[in-house]
Amino acid sequence: MLQNIRVVLVNTSHPGNIGGAARAMKNMGLSRLVLVDPLDFPSGEAVARASGATDILDSAQVVKTLEEALVGCSLVLGTSARDRRIPWPLLDPRECATTCLEQAGQGGEVALVFGREYAGLTNEELQRCQFHVHIPSNPDFSSLNLATAVQVLAYEVRMAWLAAQGLPTKQEKLETTAMLNAQPATMDEMELFYGHLESTLVEIGFLDPQKPRHLMSRLRRLYGRCGISKLEMNILRGILTETQKTARGESHKRGEH
Amino acid sequence: MLQNIRVVLVNTSHPGNIGGAARAMKNMGLSRLVLVDPLDFPSGEAVARASGATDILDSAQVVKTLEEALVGCSLVLGTSARDRRIPWPLLDPRECATTCLEQAGQGGEVALVFGREYAGLTNEELQRCQFHVHIPSNPDFSSLNLATAVQVLAYEVRMAWLAAQGLPTKQEKLETTAMLNAQPATMDEMELFYGHLESTLVEIGFLDPQKPRHLMSRLRRLYGRCGISKLEMNILRGILTETQKTARGESHKRGEH
């Protein structure tokens, strides 16, 4: 699906930005780069900034006009500063990504078009785009670096693609949580822990059973929200047992555990 | 709210990346940059790549250690490649942004920590972070440019901030959480707690300094994800102090607290 999405850079001045864009694309799993009339390409600076994404640069298509760059596309989105005299359907990067993925998922070819470093896209170029995309930036300092702007849109495309894959990010997250918590402690294990904690606090003289105040409820609130795993529970119980031995004079430094 | 969020760059080699990060921050409305032991700063290359965000560079704080960079923070998130031997709570950039905004909305100070260009953050540095953030990248080409990585997280922070601006119900939620957590413990308070915990565990013989295994990192992971408040911190420190007294035979049952 991602191979249906091309990045089009119009009239780029600095070859370093072409390299940076190539790197950002490859980081996010995009591979098709089209350069419309670049000022300086190929270039060693582009290769340096690509930092290993030279395959993207090598296979980049160089064309003379935006029209050529858009051949075969069924959806074209152009990046734009917000204020344009002609109002146009405007998407934020997240909406842009969803729209791209929908189209690419149906087999359509999609272009994300980026303008010149200082001047952006001309009004004529913008009118070739069905949608405009605006990266919501600080109104007092709104112009992003070109490669960085490519990164933001490519990142959103990847997030949408991962979501469309059946949520592997979520899946990975679940796996991490699964590893982390291995098995969560059950409620009855938590209750045994609270009982053990309470009696230990009494033994070391921190908790006065005649004047318990809110101590145990505060500790319950703390440990209750942590999502304690069985492994962590064993550690906490082990600490309590060792503390009790110390309090009873049964054990001193370096006990086995 | 955004002014409570600082970007921390650790041991950056290329000043151009510092400039690029400053530009990305300013584009997204972030302003606090902290540099831990940068290789080359101040630098003309940083100024060039900042492209007008020189105010961020001028006010950047330069410190010697990560610890200094995190003073006052109640939430620390570190960027990380996915595979680490000790699993840790892992967020994607979007979840990271929501978490940052919640904390900043309660008046907490938040740090987003970025590692070295080639080597990232060390395991020790990663263990100072409550959460790890992974930008979901192409597994075959996963390493983003530093300034670009800053851009992605800053972009998500801005998106979350813009969303929060338009949703007053969020505010109510934040206020409830604020009441609950009163004031969050800061990172330096957390470090003092870990030090106190470690020495106490040695005193009661639960932790063998010769064979520490993963005990402290597991406990850091547990307490790090709980969002400990100052009040709770006082309770935990009180328990440790009382445990130490018991271990030293200084106090028995019903000590004052």
Side-chain angles (χ1 to χ4, degrees), chain B residues 156-222:
Chain B
E156 282 286 11
V157 165
R158 187 169 186 82
M159 290 291 273
W161 178 72
L162 289 169
Q165 301 295 92
L167 299 171
T169 45
K170 267 263 168 66
Q171 189 49 43
E172 290 160 14
K173 218 186 93 191
L174 290 177
E175 278 164 17
T176 315
T177 323
M179 278 195 301
L180 243 177
N181 289 331
Q183 281 182 287
T186 61
M187 285 320 291
D188 29 311
E189 289 165 339
M190 289 301 288
E191 285 305 319
L192 289 171
F193 164 66
Y194 293 130
H196 195 175
L197 178 60
E198 186 167 9
S199 59
T200 306
L201 294 179
V202 171
E203 282 193 58
I204 65 167
F206 188 73
L207 174 62
D208 181 351
Q210 305 307 315
K211 279 182 280 171
R213 296 177 207 165
H214 296 302
L215 185 61
M216 284 313 299
S217 72
R218 287 191 165 120
L219 288 168
R220 276 174 176 270
R221 193 172 70 194
L222 194 170

Side-chain angles (χ1 to χ4, degrees), chain B residues 17-155:
Chain B
N17 284 331
I18 298 176
R23 178 177 182 177
M25 288 171 62
K26 189 166 180 179
N27 281 150
M28 297 294 116
L30 296 178
S31 53
R32 283 189 64 190
L33 176 61
V34 185
L35 305 171
V36 179
D37 194 23
L39 207 75
D40 180 8
F41 185 85
S43 143
E45 213 181 321
V47 173
R49 284 278 296 284
S51 195
T54 36
D55 51 333
I56 309 264
L57 295 178
D58 291 343
S59 62
Q61 193 187 345
V62 180
V63 297
K64 274 281 156 210
T65 64
L66 178 57
E67 205 168 355
E68 290 169 77
L70 302 182
V71 166
C73 287
S74 51
L75 176 68
V76 179
L77 304 105
T79 52
S80 159
R82 176 138 354 86
D83 302 308
R84 294 281 163 182
R85 271 159 303 168
I86 300 179
W88 210 263
L90 185 69
L91 306 179
D92 72 25
R94 198 158 299 161
E95 296 164 326
C96 161
T98 316
T99 309
C100 287
L101 265 286
E102 271 174 19
Q103 189 67 215
Q106 293 165 26
E109 293 278 332
V110 178
L112 291 169
V113 186
F114 297 80
R116 296 149 193 86
E117 281 94 338
Y118 302 105
L121 294 168
T122 64
N123 282 335
E124 200 197 327
E125 287 161 351
L126 281 167
Q127 289 185 14
R128 291 195 171 252
C129 305
Q130 286 119 304
F131 295 96
H132 295 169
V133 186
H134 176 70
I135 297 175
S137 52
N138 176 358
D140 298 328
F141 191 75
S142 61
S143 173
L144 272 72
N145 166 262
L146 176 58
T148 294
V150 170
Q151 176 69 67
V152 170
L153 295 205
Y155 158 76

Side-chain angles (χ1 to χ4, degrees), chain A residues 206-225:
Chain A
F206 189 73
L207 174 62
D208 180 351
Q210 305 309 312
K211 280 182 281 170
R213 296 177 208 165
H214 298 301
L215 186 60
M216 284 312 300
S217 70
R218 286 190 166 123
L219 288 167
R220 276 174 177 269
R221 194 173 69 194
L222 194 171
Y223 288 103
R225 69 172 184 266

Side-chain angles (χ1 to χ4, degrees), chain A residues 45-144:
Chain A
E45 212 182 320
V47 173
R49 284 279 297 280
S51 193
T54 35
D55 51 331
I56 309 264
L57 294 178
D58 291 344
S59 62
Q61 194 187 345
V62 181
V63 297
K64 272 283 154 207
T65 64
L66 179 58
E67 204 169 353
E68 289 171 79
L70 302 181
V71 166
C73 287
S74 51
L75 175 67
V76 179
L77 305 103
T79 53
S80 158
R82 179 151 333 96
D83 300 309
R84 293 280 165 183
R85 272 158 303 171
I86 304 175
W88 210 262
L90 186 69
L91 306 178
D92 72 25
R94 197 158 299 163
E95 297 164 327
C96 161
T98 317
T99 310
C100 288
L101 265 286
E102 271 172 19
Q103 190 66 215
Q106 294 163 25
E109 292 278 333
V110 177
L112 290 170
V113 185
F114 296 81
R116 297 148 193 87
E117 281 94 337
Y118 302 105
L121 294 167
T122 65
N123 282 335
E124 199 196 328
E125 288 160 350
L126 280 167
Q127 289 181 20
R128 292 194 170 254
C129 305
Q130 286 118 300
F131 294 94
H132 295 169
V133 186
H134 176 68
I135 299 175
S137 53
N138 177 358
D140 299 329
F141 191 75
S142 62
S143 173
L144 273 70

Side-chain angles (χ1 to χ4, degrees), chain A:
Chain A
M1 209 141 63
L2 294 179
Q3 74 276 9
N4 286 14
I5 301 175
R6 68 185 78 169
V7 168
V8 178
L9 305 184
V10 178
N11 243 200
T12 310
S13 306
H14 298 299
N17 284 331
I18 298 176
R23 178 178 182 177
M25 288 171 61
K26 189 166 180 180
N27 281 148
M28 297 294 115
L30 297 178
S31 53
R32 284 189 64 190
L33 176 61
V34 185
L35 305 171
V36 179
D37 194 22
L39 207 74
D40 180 7
F41 187 85
S43 142
E45 212 182 320
V47 173
R49 284 279 297 280
S51 193
T54 35
D55 51 331
I56 309 264
L57 294 178
D58 291 344
S59 62
Q61 194 187 345
V62 181
V63 297
K64 272 283 154 207
T65 64
L66 179 58
E67 204 169 353
E68 289 171 79
L70 302 181
V71 166
C73 287
S74 51
L75 175 67
V76 179
L77 305 103
T79 53
S80 158
R82 179 151 333 96
D83 300 309
R84 293 280 165 183
R85 272 158 303 171
I86 304 175
W88 210 262
L90 186 69
L91 306 178
D92 72 25
R94 197 158 299 163
E95 297 164 327
C96 161
T98 317
T99 310
C100 288
L101 265 286
E102 271 172 19
Q103 190 66 215
Q106 294 163 25
E109 292 278 333
V110 177
L112 290 170
V113 185
F114 296 81
R116 297 148 193 87
E117 281 94 337
Y118 302 105
L121 294 167
T122 65
N123 282 335
E124 199 196 328
E125 288 160 350
L126 280 167
Q127 289 181 20
R128 292 194 170 254
C129 305
Q130 286 118 300
F131 294 94
H132 295 169
V133 186
H134 176 68
I135 299 175
S137 53
N138 177 358
D140 299 329
F141 191 75
S142 62
S143 173
L144 273 70
N145 166 262
L146 176 58
T148 293
V150 170
Q151 176 69 67
V152 170
L153 295 204
Y155 158 77
E156 283 286 10
V157 164
R158 185 168 188 84
M159 289 291 274
W161 178 72
L162 288 168
Q165 298 298 93
L167 306 174
T169 42
K170 269 271 166 60
Q171 187 50 42
E172 290 158 12
K173 219 187 91 190
L174 289 176
E175 279 163 17
T176 314
T177 320
M179 276 194 299
L180 238 181
N181 290 330
Q183 287 179 286
T186 59
M187 287 321 291
D188 35 308
E189 288 166 337
M190 289 302 288
E191 285 306 317
L192 289 171
F193 165 67
Y194 292 131
H196 195 175
L197 178 60
E198 185 167 8
S199 59
T200 307
L201 294 180
V202 171
E203 282 193 57
I204 65 168
F206 189 73
L207 174 62
D208 180 351
Q210 305 309 312
K211 280 182 281 170
R213 296 177 208 165
H214 298 301
L215 186 60
M216 284 312 300
S217 70
R218 286 190 166 123
L219 288 167
R220 276 174 177 269
R221 194 173 69 194
L222 194 171
Y223 288 103
R225 69 172 184 266
C226 296
I228 308 280
S229 72
K230 282 190 196 298
L231 173 78
E232 290 169 336
M233 181 52 73
N234 288 340
I235 295 175
L236 294 175
R237 294 291 295 270
I239 293 174
L240 293 178
T241 301
E242 213 57 37
T243 304
Q244 286 181 312
K245 282 191 196 163
T246 306
R248 294 168 193 167
E250 289 169 17
S251 138
H252 289 291
K253 296 163 212 283
R254 309 289 136 80
E256 280 301 305
H257 56 90

